[in-house]
Amino acid sequence: MTGMAQWPSLDRASVASLVDEICGIGNRFVGTAGEAAARSFLLDRFNAAGLQRVRTEPVELLSYEAVGATCEILKPFQTLRAVGLQYTASAQAEGVAIYVGRPSSIDDLTDILARLPPLNGRIAVMHSYWPWLFAELLVKKGVAGIVVISETPGGTISHLTAQLYPVPTAPSFEGRPLAVPGVTIDRDDGAQLLTYVANGVVRLRIEHSARYKPFTSGNVVGEIPGATDECVVVGAHYDTQLEGVGAQDNATGLAALVALADRWAGQDFRRTLKLVAFCAEEPGMWGATDYCRRHEADLRSTVAMINLDALAWALPGRRALLADPGIADYAVARAAEIGWEIEDLTNASLLRAADLNPFIDAGVPACWFWRFPPQHPYYHSSGDVPALLDMAAVSEVANVAAYTAYALLNDEELNLGRAQGLGAEEDPRGSSDRGDCSGLLDDLDKHLEQLRHRLGTMRVTLRLDVDGRNFPVVGEAVAEGSPSIKHDESVDQRGAATAQWVIQTRKVLVQSEFSNSQVRPPAALVDAYGVEAQMLAPVVHNDHVAGWISVHSSTRRDWSAADVSQAEAEASNISENLPSICQSLQETRGWKVILESSPS
């Protein structure tokens, strides 16, 4: 595709004016009057612009209401300034502080923990902008609580969350909040704490008081109809964190979205443009997740999604693109056509932290242009104000995204296909031939945990047909507080009606509940392990059902086609790597997996 000589670009003054207007609403944290005012503002602006089918789509979520937070060094007694670490337990904890550093990834944290004493009963102290990456692992390691040291200066404290994405479904919101309390403390107080820790044993007492309750927010949607059934989604979140007006994050992206509505309403496009202002991005992309679930059928004809978020601030950050590989080359080329050469390109599935990720997980190629790094110094705090914005940079990024969207809307030869997620070179499965057998089985458990996390369920297991055994569990991922089933071989798996159905049909068994199901699960699954709904996806090798993936929910659940597709995809990936998995089981446990059907 060649560059477009004339296209309806966005005016810098209009974007700047909209940023000021949005910040004038005030704080827009989920459940506040400011959030409701922002929603009304968006409805009014979308209608005034002349968009069609303007509406609010309700989103059910588990809201967070801060009550208080304390962090105390018990000897010598000292009180540290603190705010609650969101989506941790509303509770008190006391224990010896242990500093786990500034991990950059789960693998990095795992390496750090291997060099430290056991975490059982201790208070983990860490530096991180993204504690949600690490909190569940720390809980599994037995911590009594979590303390995050804020990076923001001048007495401000970042508001952070211990759980992000994917989000669980109503009404149970299974797995939220985290089982232990957590707080985030002031940067200077954190430095003082680490001085004490470096010189001896420090005992901490932390308390996090919060209310978690079901809440109905809403996405605001407007459309510009196109000539075909295909569509492009452009979205921005309108909520903020708990304090401040969120100038960069995300008045900049929201201003660009409204500017698009004003500038492009009435344009003739080949594809329909859907402009979506998402609610509740900060606590876990609840709005984007709901949109993808609600519009599951429409996503089959959605060719791409562009995310507008935290576009730029005063320092000249690098020209960055987070994108699914399915759209990355296209987005890089479009940006280059208007002189914006990408300096940092990252697969968006490596850091699942923005509204584009639910779309990628649903199969829609998505991308996000922004200026990053450096990180905003007042990230998620009251210091994110308009005075720290460079509106020339904000407008520049907004127009790169707009130009790409305009191309997507009109490109007659467009054929991006579906989202690709993580490629083999980035996928732990790609290391299955490395000769480290125990590591391969650890990778298997990580993949099952990723599937469990994406689906928001209590448990995911892999059972295989091991010679002399009754389809034992060879891999398992379990939500905090849910019982493991890994070592229980008392149930006759081979004779169970559910297993026989999967073996005979070679299809995914989908059970939203059991009372009306003709295929009854083993009684122990319900009575002892609390399973109320499940999926079983067969693992087939050499025309033989060698096992299955089980996905367990503790509540009744209407499994979506996307849920089923994810279970099928994981079963298919395991099938491809089954010989290596079987070799690992043989060498580490002495188990021989049957890979072919017995002759009849």
Side-chain angles (χ1 to χ4, degrees):
M1 177 173 180
T2 58
M4 295 171 288
Q6 292 187 343
W7 69 283
S9 61
L10 305 181
D11 176 67
R12 180 194 304 181
S14 298
V15 174
S17 176
L18 283 164
V19 167
D20 288 339
E21 192 171 357
I22 292 163
C23 289
I25 296 172
N27 182 259
R28 305 180 296 282
F29 189 68
V30 173
T32 64
E35 187 218 20
R39 198 158 46 246
S40 296
F41 163 80
L42 289 160
L43 283 168
D44 290 344
R45 290 302 300 246
F46 279 12
N47 278 310
L51 299 185
Q52 297 191 24
R53 299 191 66 227
V54 175
R55 61 201 184 272
T56 299
E57 296 179 345
V59 176
E60 302 296 324
L61 56 91
L62 185 67
S63 69
Y64 171 86
E65 182 181 344
V67 177
T70 60
C71 182
E72 298 168 330
I73 299 174
L74 297 185
K75 188 177 181 181
F77 185 82
Q78 184 175 338
T79 299
L80 310 180
R81 290 165 288 180
V83 299
L85 180 58
Q86 295 164 21
Y87 294 93
T88 61
S90 182
Q92 184 183 95
E94 184 176 320
V96 173
I98 183 167
Y99 183 57
V100 300
R102 193 189 299 266
S104 59
S105 66
I106 285 290
D107 287 343
D108 189 24
L109 178 60
T110 300
D111 290 342
I112 292 170
L113 297 184
R115 301 189 295 270
L116 294 176
L119 299 188
N120 299 74
R122 295 176 180 247
I123 305 291
V125 181
M126 69 188 309
H127 282 93
S128 180
Y129 285 113
W130 305 301
W132 46 268
L133 272 175
F134 312 110
E136 288 196 1
L137 175 59
L138 292 173
V139 170
K140 287 182 178 179
K141 294 294 185 179
V143 300
I146 300 171
V147 173
V148 179
I149 300 174
S150 177
E151 307 272 8
T152 54
T156 62
I157 301 178
S158 288
H159 292 277
L160 306 170
T161 179
Q163 294 177 305
L164 194 69
Y165 173 80
V167 292
T169 55
S172 67
F173 302 113
E174 184 178 324
R176 293 211 175 188
L178 208 63
V180 304
V183 299
T184 304
I185 63 173
D186 171 78
R187 183 182 71 172
D188 296 338
D189 285 355
Q192 182 66 57
L193 170 61
L194 293 185
T195 300
Y196 289 141
V197 170
N199 287 281
V201 175
V202 176
R203 195 165 185 86
L204 292 178
R205 180 168 58 227
I206 66 172
E207 183 171 6
H208 174 218
S209 299
R211 284 187 282 267
Y212 297 99
K213 56 187 178 182
F215 178 75
T216 302
S217 185
N219 295 329
V220 181
V221 185
E223 300 181 12
I224 302 175
T228 70
D229 292 334
E230 292 182 329
C231 72
V232 174
V233 173
V234 178
H237 73 89
Y238 64 88
D239 63 312
T240 63
Q241 253 299 344
L242 192 57
E243 286 187 285
V245 299
Q248 186 215 21
D249 187 10
N250 183 36
T252 58
L254 193 60
L257 188 77
V258 176
L260 280 177
D262 290 341
R263 184 77 170 91
W264 288 6
Q267 291 277 328
D268 293 325
F269 297 134
R270 178 180 178 81
R271 298 176 178 89
T272 293
L273 172 61
K274 295 186 178 182
L275 298 172
V276 187
F278 296 114
C279 69
E281 186 265 1
E282 299 293 5
M285 292 85 81
W286 294 83
T289 298
D290 182 88
Y291 182 92
C292 290
R293 289 172 178 167
R294 181 185 300 269
H295 296 280
E296 183 181 331
D298 296 340
L299 293 186
R300 299 188 189 100
S301 58
T302 301
V303 299
M305 185 270 186
I306 293 181
N307 185 48
L308 301 169
D309 194 356
L311 303 185
W313 64 288
L315 285 187
R318 292 175 64 81
R319 292 184 292 272
L321 173 65
L322 261 71
D324 180 78
I327 196 175
D329 289 346
Y330 189 92
V332 168
R334 300 292 80 74
E337 286 174 358
I338 55 173
W340 213 73
E341 299 290 341
I342 299 297
E343 296 171 299
D344 285 330
L345 172 61
T346 303
N347 186 327
S349 293
L350 289 171
L351 184 66
R352 302 167 74 227
D355 282 330
L356 77 169
N357 291 105
F359 285 85
I360 293 171
D361 290 343
V364 178
C367 65
W368 171 17
F369 300 96
W370 62 332
R371 285 278 193 171
F372 181 88
Q375 179 65 269
H376 195 294
Y378 291 96
Y379 175 72
H380 282 182
S381 78
S382 59
D384 182 6
V385 295
L388 291 181
L389 296 180
D390 176 352
M391 286 312 305
V394 170
S395 177
E396 176 188 66
V397 179
N399 272 302
V400 173
Y403 181 87
T404 305
Y406 194 79
L408 289 164
L409 288 164
N410 294 293
D411 191 342
E412 295 182 2
E413 299 177 354
L414 186 69
N415 185 24
L416 298 178
R418 306 310 287 163
Q420 298 176 23
L422 292 177
E425 72 281 358
E426 299 156 314
D427 195 325
R429 262 187 301 268
S431 61
S432 62
D433 59 354
R434 66 189 178 182
D436 181 356
C437 297
S438 61
L440 174 63
L441 297 179
D442 289 342
D443 287 346
L444 174 63
D445 283 345
K446 289 178 183 177
H447 271 274
L448 296 177
E449 172 59 25
Q450 289 169 4
L451 177 62
R452 185 199 69 77
H453 202 55
R454 288 197 302 270
L455 295 175
T457 59
M458 68 184 295
R459 185 189 302 108
V460 173
T461 64
L462 171 64
R463 293 183 179 273
L464 291 179
D465 189 4
V466 175
D467 190 24
R469 306 181 79 97
N470 198 341
F471 283 92
V473 172
V474 301
E476 182 184 52
V478 186
E480 181 69 25
S482 297
S484 170
I485 202 171
K486 191 168 189 175
H487 301 294
D488 186 350
E489 294 190 41
S490 63
V491 177
D492 180 13
Q493 295 293 333
R494 198 178 303 275
T498 48
Q500 286 299 311
W501 190 94
V502 169
I503 291 170
Q504 291 168 14
T505 65
R506 304 187 182 190
K507 297 179 180 179
V508 179
L509 175 62
V510 181
Q511 296 181 298
S512 298
E513 50 89 26
F514 299 136
S515 61
N516 296 315
S517 177
Q518 295 180 350
V519 184
R520 303 295 295 174
L525 194 66
V526 179
D527 299 337
Y529 294 101
V531 179
E532 295 290 337
Q534 69 172 352
M535 293 188 290
L536 270 62
V539 175
V540 181
H541 185 81
N542 289 342
D543 205 32
H544 169 65
V545 177
W548 58 84
I549 290 176
S550 302
V551 181
H552 295 158
S553 173
S554 62
T555 61
R556 296 183 179 189
R557 175 162 172 173
D558 292 326
W559 303 102
S560 69
D563 295 336
V564 177
S565 178
Q566 290 193 60
E568 284 180 319
E570 190 62 34
S572 176
N573 285 323
I574 288 173
S575 296
E576 292 176 7
N577 290 276
L578 200 52
S580 297
I581 293 171
C582 294
Q583 180 184 349
S584 297
L585 289 170
Q586 177 76 45
E587 295 182 12
T588 60
R589 304 182 193 176
W591 289 2
K592 178 183 178 182
V593 178
I594 299 172
L595 295 180
E596 295 182 356
S597 301
S598 301
S600 54

